[in-house]
Amino acid sequence: MISDHTNAIAIAGLNKTYETGFHALDNINLEIKRGEIFALLGPNGAGKTTLINAVCGIVRPTSGTITVAGYDIITQYRQARSTLGLVPQELTTDAFESVWNTVTFSRGLFGKPRSPAYVEDVLKRMSLWDKKDEQIRRLSGGMKRRVMIAKALSHEPEILFLDEPSAGVDVELRKSMWAQVRSLSETGVTIILTTHYIEEAQEMANRVGVINKGKLILTEDKNTLLRKMGKRHMVFALRDPVSVIPMELSAYPLTLEDDGSKLVLAYNDQDDNDISEVLDHLKSSGIRPRDIYSRQSSLEDIFIQLVEA
Amino acid sequence: MNYRGILAIYKFEMGRTLRTVGQSIASPVISTVLYFIVFGSAIGSRMQAIDGVPYGAFIVPGLVMLTVLGQSVSNASFGIYFPRFTGTIYEILSAPLSFIEIVLGYVGAAATKSVIIGTIVLATAGFFVPLHITHPLWMVFFLVMTCITFSMLGFIIGIWADGFEKLQLIPLLVITPLTFLGGSFYSINMLPPFWHQVSLANPVVYLVSGFRWSFFEKGDVSLETSVIMLLTFNALALAIIGWIFKTGYRLRK
Ligand SMILES: Nc1ncnc2c1ncn2[C@@H]1O[C@H](COP(=O)(O)OP(=O)(O)O)[C@@H](O)[C@H]1O
Ligand SMILES: [Mg+2]
């Protein structure tokens, strides 16, 4: 079979019912393009890990098909898995192994010839070079997480899964991890990350998929999503606070904020002429804005709208 | 075949053994010495020869078997149980490895360790009684095949177990009684007819018998029977392991 050059991953009609009878994935259809940074966003228990594990061969799909780089994960598991690197959610490492050995081991598992130079490069990129002979149990949590990323990169994967990469990681480390992921992406690696931090998806992703209760609610280009779903708000900061919205403005979707010192108009890209009308009305009722600025809703707001819908 | 993958698992497992090489070797050597002091010297001097073999020499093959059966099961079961327990198994499951390759890595390493320890026990026994091995090739065949078969059994136990208690339960409740009752220290021909028949249901009897035959050309059952039984157990263990990977039993959720 010829490798599909547009899709890194194609999932069709994927269902997963665990032995307990729990229906963790419900008819998932998803295509992820090569070179993308795709963020799978969803609350705890949504099925993010189950989805990743199904692609990586750790969870057996109940039905549906998955191809990775054009290879079927069941019938062509060798080719499919060779292209995948997985950094699981839990910090699971061999306590007594050295950093160097565990990364070399991972490379061997995936059938790649020994390459000390490549392993060195990965360890340097992960800022682990000075820890290469250290036993893993002596490392901090953040370093362990980087060891797991180094293991996943050891066999030069085309597609990298990061399952909740910043769970339990402090803000500073999170920022440096994001930078590392971005530079990986620049080398052409497709990146799929799961997160329940919206900030992370917003910061990193080109495309976002929202999953809830095993259902993929939507997949969308991040900016399109923000534009489509994101209500904009025009904020009129007032010189003199008002206690009520003037009668003549009651037809507009206005709210008062900060004890009446801000008048906020919700609007969409489509009906932007509202703004000038509101301005006219403000002028005629003698309300003088000190400042006018627009505010965009974050993925967080969108996410809450979607999940609660 | 993903040879590098097999080698990675094999080397990882051997490395784990090397980290605790002292205790890996000390405990079988010490128990061998104790068995020889008790059975070989103290009791053995008052025992008559069995099938023309002095008792001290008679127990050597049984003793080696006793050790390698226990070692194979515990090494292999621990080897696969531990990554399941810590979660590092995710990497094995997501690697481009077939079940045969995973088994070759884990079982190969466990069997290698058992063969080495069996050889050390044999050498230790050499300090107490003169060793004479009539059919060295058959001896190696029985030793290696037994180590492989029981390492596969250990692998199965390591996958079945869902706690450390179960991991120790089988060796304690099944393997140890079977080896003690399998003719390690006596010939089952010495048993009354009823118990003799019962003993023939014990797989260990065939291993000990075949192994002992390679030393003294005397066994409880014929060489052919021992070989056929050994190969049957081996095939059975392989079939169970094949089923485990096919169904994902306790491995893939
Ligand atoms: N091995 C399992 N057996 C039964 N249920 C499971 C198993 N693993 C996960 N689940 C359930 O499936 C749901 C999705 O879990 P998961 O994929 O881990 O969610 P997420 O990664 O989005 O937090 C959860 O309700 C979880 O309890
Ligand atoms: Mg998860």
Side-chain angles (χ1 to χ4, degrees), chain A residues 5-62:
Chain A
H5 285 285
T6 54
N7 280 332
I9 291 175
I11 299 172
L14 176 65
N15 281 281
K16 174 62 190 178
T17 307
Y18 280 111
E19 272 171 22
T20 54
F22 187 82
H23 201 51
L25 294 177
D26 188 354
N27 191 29
I28 303 280
N29 294 286
L30 174 63
E31 287 181 359
I32 295 170
K33 292 185 183 55
R34 281 178 191 255
E36 265 188 331
I37 301 184
F38 186 87
L40 195 58
L41 195 57
N44 272 324
K48 304 181 294 293
T49 299
T50 304
L51 181 57
I52 283 194
N53 285 352
V55 179
C56 294
I58 294 165
V59 158
R60 296 154 61 85
T62 308

Side-chain angles (χ1 to χ4, degrees), chain A:
Chain A
M1 184 169 171
I2 294 159
S3 181
D4 183 323
H5 285 285
T6 54
N7 280 332
I9 291 175
I11 299 172
L14 176 65
N15 281 281
K16 174 62 190 178
T17 307
Y18 280 111
E19 272 171 22
T20 54
F22 187 82
H23 201 51
L25 294 177
D26 188 354
N27 191 29
I28 303 280
N29 294 286
L30 174 63
E31 287 181 359
I32 295 170
K33 292 185 183 55
R34 281 178 191 255
E36 265 188 331
I37 301 184
F38 186 87
L40 195 58
L41 195 57
N44 272 324
K48 304 181 294 293
T49 299
T50 304
L51 181 57
I52 283 194
N53 285 352
V55 179
C56 294
I58 294 165
V59 158
R60 296 154 61 85
T62 308
S63 65
T65 57
I66 304 174
T67 60
V68 172
Y71 299 112
D72 185 274
I73 62 153
I74 307 285
T75 58
Q76 297 167 300
Y77 69 95
R78 274 190 209 275
Q79 294 97 318
R81 289 187 200 160
S82 297
T83 63
L84 297 177
L86 168 64
V87 184
Q89 184 173 349
E90 309 293 336
L91 277 178
T92 48
T93 48
D94 291 297
F96 297 99
E97 284 289 316
S98 73
V99 170
W100 178 270
N101 282 351
T102 201
V103 176
T104 306
F105 167 75
S106 300
R107 188 174 166 87
L109 266 192
F110 280 74
K112 289 272 178 189
R114 277 183 68 84
S115 173
Y118 183 77
V119 173
E120 179 176 337
D121 176 52
V122 168
L123 290 182
K124 283 184 172 157
R125 273 192 293 173
M126 290 296 127
S127 319
L128 286 167
W129 181 241
D130 55 331
K131 300 283 177 199
K132 70 182 166 67
D133 298 316
E134 199 80 57
Q135 282 191 344
I136 298 170
R137 68 192 169 118
R138 301 199 192 283
L139 303 180
S140 70
M143 287 180 196
K144 281 183 187 148
R145 176 83 53 191
R146 297 209 300 273
V147 169
M148 297 190 67
I149 300 178
K151 279 165 79 70
L153 292 177
S154 68
H155 59 276
E156 304 163 56
E158 293 168 32
I159 301 161
L160 182 68
F161 285 99
L162 295 159
D163 197 355
E164 310 255 351
S166 43
V169 167
D170 62 46
V171 178
E172 198 149 319
L173 209 75
R174 197 178 299 171
K175 293 260 158 69
S176 86
M177 186 129 60
W178 289 348
Q180 276 156 348
V181 169
R182 254 185 235 106
S183 73
L184 263 174
S185 171
E186 279 156 19
T187 66
V189 178
T190 307
I191 290 164
I192 294 135
L193 60 93
T194 75
T195 182
H196 55 261
Y197 297 116
I198 287 131
E199 191 196 1
E200 193 158 51
Q202 191 154 14
E203 183 77 20
M204 305 277 302
N206 317 125
R207 220 153 58 96
V208 179
V210 177
I211 185 170
N212 191 39
K213 296 190 178 132
K215 283 198 173 76
L216 197 60
I217 306 173
L218 88 141
T219 54
E220 193 84 79
D221 177 85
K222 183 181 71 185
N223 296 325
T224 314
L225 180 66
L226 283 169
R227 210 173 321 122
K228 260 210 289 207
M229 299 290 302
K231 280 223 173 58
R232 285 162 178 273
H233 297 271
M234 190 57 74
V235 182
F236 303 91
L238 308 179
R239 275 181 207 280
D240 309 302
V242 296
S243 52
V244 288
I245 297 168
M247 276 301 286
E248 48 197 319
L249 286 169
S250 62
Y252 300 96
L254 282 165
T255 46
L256 280 176
E257 276 183 17
D258 289 350
D259 298 326
S261 65
K262 283 176 187 159
L263 202 53
V264 182
L265 173 73
Y267 71 104
N268 286 320
D269 283 357
Q270 289 88 335
D271 45 29
D272 52 357
N273 52 352
D274 273 9
I275 298 166
S276 57
E277 289 171 22
V278 168
L279 264 177
D280 290 344
H281 285 299
L282 285 178
K283 204 170 182 182
S284 61
S285 29
I287 299 172
R288 290 186 303 162
R290 175 169 53 80
D291 189 12
I292 302 172
Y293 56 91
S294 76
R295 202 166 66 187
Q296 209 171 339
S297 60
S298 66
L299 267 176
E300 180 126 32
D301 306 324
I302 299 169
F303 181 65
I304 290 166
Q305 283 175 39
L306 283 170
V307 170
E308 285 176 352

